Amino acid sequence: MILAAHPHSVWLTSARAARVFPPLASDLQIEVAIIGGGFTGLAAAYHLTRSGVSCAVLEAHDIGWGASGRNGGMAVLRYKTPWATLAHRHGENAARRLHQLLLDAVDTLESTVEELRIDCSFSRPGHITAANSRSALAMLDADMHWLAAMGDRTPRMLGPEEAAALAGTRCYMGGYLDPRAGGLHPLNYARGLADGLAGRGVRVFSGTAATAIREDARSVNVATEGGTVRAQQLLICSNAYTELFPLGTDLHRRVVPVSTSVITTAPLPDALLRALLPQGHLVSDTRHLLNYFRIAPGNRLLFGGRGSLTGRESPEVYHGLERRLFETFPALEGVAVDHRWSGKVAVTLDDFPHIGRLSPRIAYALGYGGRGVALTNLLGKMLATLARAMDVDAGPMSSGPFAPIPLHALRIPAMKAVAGYYRLLDALRI
Ligand SMILES: Cc1cc2nc3c(=O)[nH]c(=O)nc-3n(C[C@H](O)[C@H](O)[C@H](O)COP(=O)(O)OP(=O)(O)OC[C@H]3O[C@@H](n4cnc5c(N)ncnc54)[C@H](O)[C@@H]3O)c2cc1C
């Protein structure tokens, strides 16, 4: 099999050297097989090995090749849906549970970094949700009040002046700051996790695509080019890349893979970068087609947003992002852009990731949208629990409906229509 290269991301060019994990070259018997060497699969392996369960990770390309090695590295404490709406839709108790799960997710990420001593620049600079419209500001304010009413008084609102001072731009009407959010170097985190696992005896195979799954009375068997893995349990952690090898399940039709793209500026003078993000906050806005930014290695500004709807990379997508970058930060006009890359997020109908079982031997967790940096650690941990024949409670993420999406084959025209509608709403600041 030919390994696809990592994209030319700022994470790749600043990453520590990768340990070489050879492909599987013979049959293997193991307690738990894991498909996917991103944050979810690696987190599941980490928690299994802490419980003394043997496992093997099968990654089609290189460790962290999927979204995990190329994302914005922002572990944010919000779901896509506002808190007040979640409480209205799912009830107060479910919304409280969802809130606790997010806190647990970032704590799990932090304790993993600490326990495995992963050098991935993890810190908690805090995250600003910057409001593009009055209605967004009102929504953020309602969120802050909902959280305060249930005892969480940590997030606070920013007025327009403070938002401008902290986010380096006058584009926003104010914002919502959660100081607990974390940032990290995602490829170094994925590589550090894999190194830590290998040090604890986990078998990690790169260049090893699972091409078929077959269950019999005593095991689940995963076919790869180099051999068959015979396991008691299988965890599917292929997220937006599930369509690479659908494996005979319907999981690839339960999510819509959507491209998102990122650029970085060339290195900026210290004083300029300090003027933009003086306290190193992570920022994302409230547009339907949102943008986000943060400081990246080498004194760069990283800026992300919507990618190509067809999934094919095109210069127009990057030109569009550059235009948005310079509109947001006029002081950067003329600064060179030195990294451009794209990746896929897995979108679900209810905007939640989902965790569950396909059969008593096969479990999955996928569908994080753009919110997987923290949640993958929690759902990976819960997958390890499922593999040990226990149940998990991830609120609507484990109990909500998660069926194949009707008319999945028509997703690209549908996305084009939705993107056009969202562009209109964003232009009208609704
Ligand atoms: C550009 C970008 C920016 C993002 N920014 C953020 C952010 O700032 N904050 C945030 O919270 N989230 C962000 N996300 C989302 C986040 O990266 C993902 O939710 C998370 O990384 C998903 O991890 P995962 O392990 O489930 O999937 P992935 O990391 O995508 O890993 C899945 C792996 O499975 C492998 N695979 C697939 N099929 C097979 C098979 N049959 N056999 C073997 N291997 C297989 C793939 O090769 C892939 O490596 C971003 C995503 C992108 C693309």
Side-chain angles (χ1 to χ4, degrees):
M1 176 178 161
I2 300 174
L3 260 70
H6 287 272
H8 180 74
S9 73
V10 74
W11 309 122
L12 183 72
T13 58
S14 61
R16 61 201 244 168
R19 183 177 181 140
V20 178
F21 294 106
L24 180 69
S26 59
D27 290 349
L28 177 72
Q29 194 150 350
I30 199 95
E31 284 174 271
V32 182
I34 298 170
I35 297 177
F39 294 164
T40 306
L42 296 169
Y46 168 60
H47 291 283
L48 282 168
T49 192
R50 286 179 96 224
S51 315
V53 178
S54 70
C55 59
V57 178
L58 312 176
E59 165 54 50
H61 299 292
D62 186 29
I63 291 302
W65 173 86
S68 296
R70 56 177 93 184
N71 58 55
M74 297 165 46
V76 173
L77 284 143
R78 293 178 62 83
Y79 297 92
K80 270 179 95 175
T81 312
W83 289 114
T85 313
L86 287 176
H88 179 70
R89 218 175 263 167
H90 300 278
E92 288 287 325
N93 285 344
R96 280 168 187 254
R97 173 84 183 127
L98 284 165
H99 174 253
Q100 187 56 48
L101 289 169
L102 262 188
L103 295 176
D104 291 351
V106 186
D107 288 348
T108 305
L109 163 61
E110 185 167 39
S111 60
T112 306
V113 170
E114 279 168 8
E115 193 171 317
L116 292 177
R117 296 169 194 258
I118 300 176
D119 181 6
C120 62
S121 314
F122 178 82
S123 67
R124 292 197 188 229
H127 172 254
I128 296 172
T129 310
N132 296 85
S133 64
R134 289 200 190 293
S135 57
L137 201 57
M139 173 272 288
L140 293 169
D141 196 50
D143 272 358
M144 194 201 64
H145 282 100
W146 184 83
L147 287 173
M150 54 156 264
D152 179 359
R153 294 190 168 74
T154 308
R156 68 179 179 90
M157 294 300 287
L158 304 174
E161 289 306 319
E162 200 182 1
L166 293 180
T169 169
R170 296 209 156 267
C171 282
Y172 304 116
M173 298 187 177
Y176 164 107
L177 168 63
D178 193 325
R180 296 166 293 196
L184 50 66
H185 185 304
L187 187 55
N188 276 348
Y189 179 53
R191 287 183 173 173
L193 252 177
D195 280 4
L197 293 176
R200 292 177 174 218
V202 174
R203 311 287 304 274
V204 179
F205 300 97
S206 64
T208 302
T211 50
I213 301 172
R214 190 177 51 78
E215 285 188 82
D216 60 34
R218 281 187 311 220
S219 60
V220 50
N221 303 294
V222 183
T224 78
E225 202 178 87
T228 297
V229 182
R230 196 176 172 80
Q232 291 310 302
Q233 292 282 317
L234 170 65
L235 304 177
I236 302 182
C237 310
S238 43
N239 201 42
Y241 297 91
T242 304
E243 62 180 3
L244 286 179
F245 306 92
L247 297 172
T249 78
D250 63 8
L251 283 176
H252 62 295
R253 290 192 288 114
R254 302 192 196 193
V255 296
V256 176
V258 175
S259 258
T260 111
S261 296
V262 189
I263 55 179
T264 65
T265 63
L268 300 172
D270 275 342
L272 177 54
L273 198 57
R274 264 204 310 276
L276 297 182
L277 289 168
Q279 296 180 28
H281 284 110
L282 314 163
V283 184
S284 45
D285 67 24
T286 55
R287 283 192 178 91
H288 296 277
L289 301 172
L290 70 82
N291 289 114
Y292 53 92
F293 50 91
R294 60 167 288 183
I295 295 173
N299 260 19
R300 295 174 166 88
L301 188 77
L302 176 153
F303 195 83
R306 205 203 86 192
S308 144
L309 288 173
T310 59
R312 278 187 293 277
E313 282 193 46
S314 74
E316 289 80 58
V317 166
Y318 295 115
H319 289 154
L321 261 187
E322 284 177 38
R323 257 198 321 275
R324 190 50 73 68
L325 166 71
F326 298 137
E327 277 165 26
T328 312
F329 300 105
L332 294 181
E333 188 79 51
V335 165
V337 163
D338 68 359
H339 294 83
R340 298 173 179 81
W341 74 96
S342 296
K344 287 183 184 178
V345 299
V347 172
T348 59
L349 286 184
D350 63 1
D351 281 336
F352 282 125
H354 286 268
I355 179 166
R357 296 183 203 274
L358 292 180
S359 77
R361 290 195 190 278
I362 306 179
Y364 61 82
L366 75 169
Y368 302 93
R371 296 287 155 101
V373 169
L375 284 169
T376 46
N377 292 277
L378 184 73
L379 296 199
K381 183 177 180 180
M382 288 184 167
L383 277 177
T385 305
L386 286 181
R388 289 161 57 227
M390 289 178 279
D391 287 333
V392 297
D393 172 11
M397 297 186 274
S398 56
S399 61
F402 187 46
I405 296 171
L407 303 178
H408 191 266
L410 299 178
R411 62 193 182 276
I412 290 179
M415 280 194 301
K416 283 185 176 161
V418 171
Y421 175 62
Y422 281 166
R423 256 197 306 276
L424 179 68
L425 294 185
D426 286 338
L428 296 172
R429 295 188 170 229
I430 293 172

